């Protein structure tokens, strides 16, 4: 349903890749045209003016939307499948990124909760995929510098604004960053820093029909700097898929 054939990798200070044209033009047009309305989202103003619609945030609206949209339902089923996890691990392996997972137990049954007991008893990690619609406000929406929760292994962020809807000058891109205080580089527990406490190493502009994929590491620092869009501009829309 999507392709990372055009992926370009960076490996330092942690693995991250950018891929364009991930969906067919027709699929992308339909996905963006039917992206859920902001009224269905949970607003989280303390998290950088973020809006979220997921299994955890407004789950009833989330399930109703997926059920009502055939293409989104198909994409959702793919991302929540074991084959998606296997294909992603194989894709990374071809680019010299081996997470050393070995055999694992797929636990992506609807409503399933991981206790960690199976992992401890069998030595097999339990993997699943999480699917989230996210939006950010155009006047100051942001994500502070962080490295992600330790349960996350792989993150894929797909842009979901319509073609021609977003202006590069507004910002909204994903930025690799690095603490100015080098004693704070190690961040396995995902403490947040302020924007002034980091240097930007690399910026990936927020482009339509793109995917940013990165690996959670102890130093996978990244951020979205405050967006500066005019009043009345569209929200920054994404689909985030996490393998955990």
């Amino acid at each position: 349903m999507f392709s990372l054939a055009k992926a370009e990798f960076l490996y330092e200070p942690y693995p991250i890749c950018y891929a364009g044209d991930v969906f067919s033009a027709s699929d992308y047009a339909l996905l963006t045209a039917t992206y859920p309305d902001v009224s269905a989202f949970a607003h989280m103003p303390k998290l950088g003016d973020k809006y979220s619609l997921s299994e955890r945030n407004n789950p009833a609206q989330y399930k109703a939307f997926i059920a009502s949209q055939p293409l989104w339902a198909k994409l959702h089923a793919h991302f929540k499948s074991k084959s998606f996890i296997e294909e992603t691990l194989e894709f990374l392996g071809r680019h010299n990124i081996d997470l050393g997972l070995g055999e694992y137990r797929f636990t992506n049954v609807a409503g399933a909760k991981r206790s960690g007991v199976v992992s401890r008893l069998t030595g097999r990690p339990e993997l699943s995929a999480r699917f989230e619609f996210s939006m950010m406000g155009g006047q100051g929406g942001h994500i502070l510098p962080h490295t992600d929760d330790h349960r996350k292994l792989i993150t894929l962020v797909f842009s979901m604004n319509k073609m021609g809807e977003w202006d590069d000058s507004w910002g909204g891109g994903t930025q690799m960053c690095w603490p100015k205080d080098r004693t704070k580089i190690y961040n396995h527990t995902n403490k947040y820093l302020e924007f002034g406490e980091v240097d930007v190493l690399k910026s990936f502009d927020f482009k339509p029909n793109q995917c940013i994929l990165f690996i959670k590491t102890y130093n996978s620092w990244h951020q979205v700097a405050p967006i500066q869009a005019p009043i009345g501009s569209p929200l920054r829309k994404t689909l985030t898929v996490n393998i955990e």
Side-chain angles (χ1 to χ4, degrees):
M1 291 203 64
F2 74 102
S3 172
L4 298 178
K6 296 184 178 181
E8 299 179 6
F9 273 82
L10 293 177
Y11 292 87
E12 294 179 325
Y14 60 89
I16 188 169
C17 86
Y18 166 88
D21 298 326
V22 290
F23 298 104
S24 69
S26 59
D27 279 355
Y28 188 73
L30 182 55
L31 289 169
T32 55
T34 57
Y35 191 88
D37 186 78
V38 65
S39 61
F41 287 66
H43 186 207
M44 301 173 175
K46 293 183 179 180
L47 295 179
D49 197 19
K50 176 183 177 179
Y51 299 79
S52 174
L53 180 63
S54 69
E55 297 161 70
R56 300 177 182 176
N57 299 310
N58 286 2
Q61 293 92 324
Y62 167 82
K63 292 177 182 177
F65 173 80
I66 295 296
S68 70
Q69 297 292 336
L71 185 56
W72 277 111
K74 184 178 179 182
L75 188 64
H76 178 266
H78 175 68
F79 281 131
K80 299 287 285 184
S81 69
K82 183 178 181 180
S83 62
F84 164 68
I85 293 177
E86 291 175 343
E87 290 164 6
T88 303
L89 294 177
E90 290 171 0
F91 166 76
L92 292 172
R94 293 195 300 271
H95 290 86
N96 299 318
I97 299 170
D98 183 352
L99 299 184
L101 293 171
E103 294 186 7
Y104 62 88
R105 178 173 177 263
F106 178 67
T107 61
N108 224 25
V109 178
K113 294 183 179 179
R114 286 177 303 224
S115 65
V117 173
V118 172
S119 291
R120 290 194 293 271
L121 292 177
T122 67
R124 298 169 61 198
E126 299 174 271
L127 301 186
S128 66
R130 187 156 57 89
F131 186 104
E132 179 185 19
F133 298 102
S134 298
M135 296 193 289
M136 267 190 251
Q139 292 77 51
H142 64 272
I143 302 174
L144 287 170
H146 67 294
T147 59
D148 277 343
D149 185 272
H150 69 278
R151 289 168 294 189
K152 294 182 182 179
L153 299 175
I154 304 163
T155 297
L156 299 93
V157 181
F158 298 87
S159 59
M160 280 293 152
N161 282 78
K162 296 176 182 178
M163 300 296 292
E165 188 177 45
W166 192 264
D167 191 311
D168 288 347
S169 67
W170 300 344
T174 300
Q175 298 177 325
M176 298 177 75
C177 52
W178 205 237
K180 293 178 179 179
D181 181 349
R182 298 301 193 250
T183 67
K184 296 181 179 179
I185 288 174
Y186 188 89
N187 190 38
H188 182 69
T189 57
N190 195 34
K191 295 178 182 177
Y192 283 69
L193 293 179
E194 297 297 324
F195 292 112
E197 295 182 273
V198 300
D199 294 315
V200 175
L201 302 180
K202 173 71 176 179
S203 294
F204 299 90
D205 289 342
F206 186 69
K207 299 287 189 182
N209 203 8
Q210 72 174 13
C211 175
I212 304 291
L213 180 156
F214 52 90
I215 310 300
K216 156 67 182 175
T217 68
Y218 70 88
N219 64 349
S220 50
W221 287 98
H222 59 284
Q223 66 180 24
V224 176
I227 298 170
Q228 299 179 349
I231 295 175
S233 61
L235 296 168
R236 177 190 184 270
K237 303 173 184 177
T238 58
L239 169 67
T240 301
V241 179
N242 297 116
I243 295 177
E244 303 179 332

